Amino acid sequence: MTLDDILAGLFPTGSKIETTGAIIAGQAVLPDGRPIHVLGITQGQPLGVDEAILLAGHVIEIVKSGDRAPILFLVDSASQRMSKRDELLGLSEYLSHLAKTLLLAEAEGHRTVGLLYGGSAAGAFIATALATGTLVALPGAHPAVMDLPSMGRVTKLPIDVLKAKAEATPVFAPGLDNMTQTGGIHAIWDADAPLAPRLAAVMQRPKGQDDRDRLGAKRGGRRKAAEIADRVVALAATSYQGAQHG
Amino acid sequence: MTAVTANTVSLSWYEASARQRIDALVDAGSFTEFIGPELREMSPHLAIFDLPEQFDDGVVIGRGRLDGAPVLIAAQEGRFMGGAFGEVHGAKLTGLLRAARAQHQDVLILFDTGGVRLQEANAGELAIAEIMRAVVEARRDGLSVVGLIGGRAGCYGGGSLIGGTCSRLIVSEQGRISVSGPEVIETNRGIEEFDSRDRALVWRTMGGKHRFLIGGADMFVDDEALAFRKAAIDALKVGRRCDVTVLEAEQTRLERRLQRFGEAEDAVEIWQALGVDNPTDVPALPTSAFLRAADNRENADDAR
């Protein structure tokens, strides 16, 4: 589906959304009449310092407006921009800053929903889609940490061997199903069903704690993470009580 | 009441192991580990790749005291898989950050990482996202999360993104902070873009001095455990909020950086623009002289 198809499907009553370069920004109206902010990165472009600061600026303006309207963040990107200039200027701060603004928006009462409809990878994925409160995806989306050929170079394993290993576990290989099984993606939408009701249903989902590790355990893609994290929380509580009496 | 005693033995932060760093950082004898190596909570995924596991999966977490105050601590071991984030490694950190909120205690993260562990890339990537969210939630509860960067593996990839969520960053000259590593840039963009074997280029583009000068780190210290300890004690006393005021200030700060330095071809040009005398001498300056030369640096006070 093209971005235009997706926007038309999500907002049949109309939207005012502009794409400038790789950046999507605008507003739309939900079927129930409520406004929703729409942001995103498109055309499979990399996320560098210039794009990240623009997107973060939009999020901050939304939070400052105090309207508490939800934010839909559309993602079809490459990875972070790999360049000397971006790193020289401190890319990590720009990506973190964007992620923090999205986390801030959710905490300040704006529901944040990520919609992965194309690619995304590595730092760009963390700073956008994975920083939203609920991440959903359309079939055909293709998240990755690193593509298999690059992974082959780093791990010094032939691509055939990597492919065979990827059959056995969802934990390392790129792809939508693997990212869903490990809990990173809340749901994959059916492309043939109308999109607007699906979005409305996600908006109904109560705002809650980070449950991605629990999802990963339930789906069998990340069996240990939730249990380990819970155990650390429990141990910290025990040792704190011990220290008080010690 | 127990007297606060620091370890006074000289120790290179860069050379030290994760456990040595913790022992040298906190008040002597105050550290208690959570899920220690005796429990053998290892990566369930490395065996698929016929790679050796480590009993603590390359990260040591627990609680201790810093100048008498209780803190939660995590130290990555850069000598195991480059300190990379796998499922267990990441979950230990996520749990520690969640515990910080529950116990209302500040956190120190001793970064030493190349980023996500590729053999368990999806789990590592999600752990980064979970840790970042937990850091922001802890800060919104008024807690400090301080990052210490000066290890062998630097602070790369997803580690650098977590670093960017911390309330303060302490860095030594050896502490490199970058999303894409030198080899990754060279592989993807060619040697003309970045020559990963040019060590001087790596240090001045990603190293601690440059990061301190542009406001990417808040405190610059010698490669000494005691210097990190003193800085950590000071770092816990200041700025910790993560609200719209702080992020708006960060927005302004990062926009300003692009305006001031966005056209620079090399770090030396940026240092010159910052008004550093003899900018080409920066890499050679000892700490005290460097701190004097860094007088007009950009800072991130209340804007991180």
Side-chain angles (χ1 to χ4, degrees):
Chain A
M1 270 203 271
T2 67
L3 179 59
D4 286 346
D5 293 340
I6 293 165
L7 291 175
L10 284 170
F11 309 116
T13 52
S15 59
K16 193 166 177 256
I17 296 161
E18 290 191 25
T19 303
T20 315
I23 304 300
I24 304 166
Q27 269 208 332
V29 179
L30 290 166
D32 66 4
R34 288 189 304 153
I36 180 168
H37 300 280
V38 181
L39 296 173
I41 176 162
T42 183
Q43 295 161 7
Q45 291 298 302
L47 181 65
V49 293
D50 303 294
E51 295 82 9
I53 200 72
L54 280 174
L55 285 165
H58 284 301
V59 181
I60 288 173
E61 287 308 313
I62 290 167
V63 174
K64 278 177 66 187
S65 78
D67 68 2
R68 293 176 153 251
I71 301 172
L72 176 69
F73 202 106
L74 294 151
V75 179
D76 171 24
S77 77
S79 70
Q80 74 274 6
R81 182 173 289 113
M82 296 172 182
S83 82
K84 180 184 171 186
R85 174 177 178 268
D86 285 83
E87 294 302 347
L88 185 64
L89 292 167
L91 179 60
S92 59
E93 287 181 86
Y94 290 81
L95 298 183
S96 293
H97 176 64
L98 174 55
K100 283 187 288 187
T101 61
L102 286 167
L103 293 166
L104 170 80
E106 176 91 7
E108 295 281 332
H110 302 264
R111 295 304 308 278
T112 56
V113 176
L115 175 57
L116 181 70
Y117 73 98
S120 193
F125 191 44
I126 295 173
T128 59
L130 290 179
T132 58
T134 306
L135 176 60
V136 293
L138 285 170
H142 42 99
V145 178
M146 188 181 261
D147 59 279
L148 274 189
S150 302
M151 214 174 260
R153 277 201 299 277
V154 177
T155 58
K156 298 180 175 60
L157 290 171
I159 191 95
D160 293 344
V161 174
L162 276 177
K163 278 184 182 161
K165 290 182 189 297
E167 294 292 317
T169 171
V171 83
F172 76 91
L176 185 56
D177 289 340
N178 288 342
M179 197 52 84
T180 304
Q181 278 186 55
T182 44
I185 288 162
H186 176 71
I188 303 172
W189 284 355
D190 179 354
D192 298 326
L195 294 178
R198 304 302 303 265
L199 180 60
V202 171
M203 295 292 174
Q204 293 297 321
R205 194 175 168 250
K207 184 184 149 201
Q209 296 184 332
D210 195 344
D211 63 353
R212 290 173 288 192
D213 52 0
R214 275 176 217 298
L215 272 181
K218 204 168 81 183
R219 294 170 180 169
R222 250 193 321 157
R223 295 173 192 277
K224 295 207 76 148
E227 185 267 317
I228 294 273
D230 285 350
R231 208 177 342 149
V232 174
V233 173
L235 283 165
T238 314
S239 86
Y240 183 62
Q241 285 162 4
Q244 278 183 318
H245 298 297
Chain B
M1 198 181 132
T2 328
V4 173
T5 47
N7 288 293
T8 49
V9 184
S10 177
L11 179 76
S12 160
W13 194 262
Y14 186 78
E15 300 288 344
S17 69
R19 287 170 196 284
Q20 286 174 316
R21 285 181 193 142
I22 289 180
D23 284 344
L25 188 74
V26 299
D27 300 345
S30 71
F31 183 68
T32 307
E33 186 168 355
F34 303 151
I35 312 187
E38 73 284 359
L39 295 178
R40 304 195 176 186
E41 281 294 357
M42 302 178 288
S43 165
H45 310 298
L46 291 175
I48 303 168
F49 293 86
D50 303 315
L51 288 167
E53 298 104 346
Q54 188 157 297
F55 291 159
D56 57 16
D57 204 34
V59 67
V60 182
I61 60 164
R63 73 192 305 276
R65 290 187 175 270
L66 187 67
D67 204 26
V71 286
L72 296 170
I73 307 154
Q76 297 181 295
E77 179 52 71
R79 288 184 284 200
F80 175 66
M81 305 280 315
F85 290 82
E87 178 172 354
V88 172
H89 181 122
K92 285 168 83 174
L93 264 155
T94 306
L96 195 74
L97 268 310
R98 291 179 183 164
R101 281 183 91 191
Q103 304 305 326
H104 207 76
Q105 285 182 7
D106 296 330
V107 185
L108 305 174
I109 305 175
L110 285 51
F111 290 100
D112 195 357
T113 184
V116 170
R117 189 185 294 166
L118 287 177
Q119 290 81 2
E120 35 196 299
N122 296 328
E125 183 100 338
L126 292 179
I128 304 279
E130 286 160 351
I131 294 162
M132 288 172 71
R133 180 161 167 182
V135 169
V136 168
E137 287 174 348
R139 287 185 59 191
R140 288 185 61 80
D141 278 4
L143 300 167
S144 277
V145 181
V146 175
L148 292 74
I149 301 172
R152 279 169 180 273
C155 184
Y156 280 101
S160 74
L161 268 72
I162 297 171
T165 61
C166 290
S167 44
R168 306 284 279 182
L169 288 179
I170 302 165
V171 72
S172 66
E173 179 167 19
Q174 287 81 353
R176 289 137 295 145
I177 306 172
S178 173
V179 189
S180 311
E183 291 82 7
V184 174
I185 302 176
E186 184 184 315
T187 303
N188 281 279
R189 297 284 298 272
I191 199 164
E192 302 78 17
E193 175 74 17
F194 206 98
D195 181 354
S196 64
R197 282 177 303 179
D198 183 345
R199 301 323 285 172
L201 173 68
V202 173
W203 289 106
R204 70 176 184 271
T205 308
M206 303 168 176
K209 281 180 171 169
H210 176 58
R211 293 297 179 227
F212 180 69
L213 283 168
I214 64 171
D218 305 286
M219 303 163 103
F220 183 87
V221 297
D222 272 323
D223 175 39
E224 275 282 334
L226 197 58
F228 274 96
R229 173 181 157 87
K230 284 177 181 159
I233 292 168
D234 289 342
L236 288 179
K237 293 174 183 157
V238 288
R240 51 187 62 189
R241 293 174 307 148
C242 188
D243 55 19
V244 70
T245 309
V246 169
L247 291 186
E248 196 177 14
E250 182 166 65
Q251 178 79 18
T252 305
R253 173 173 79 82
L254 295 178
E255 282 174 357
R256 176 182 147 93
R257 186 187 295 170
L258 291 187
Q259 284 154 13
R260 283 191 84 181
F261 313 126
E263 306 301 319
E265 298 276 340
D266 193 278
V268 175
E269 280 178 46
I270 294 177
W271 305 340
Q272 188 151 32
L274 280 166
V276 176
D277 292 333
N278 307 316
T280 51
D281 293 346
V282 163
L285 291 178
T287 298
S288 54
F290 169 68
L291 289 173
R292 280 194 301 277
D295 214 28
N296 292 322
R297 75 183 194 95
E298 292 275 327
N299 77 61
D301 297 346
D302 300 316
R304 186 186 302 288

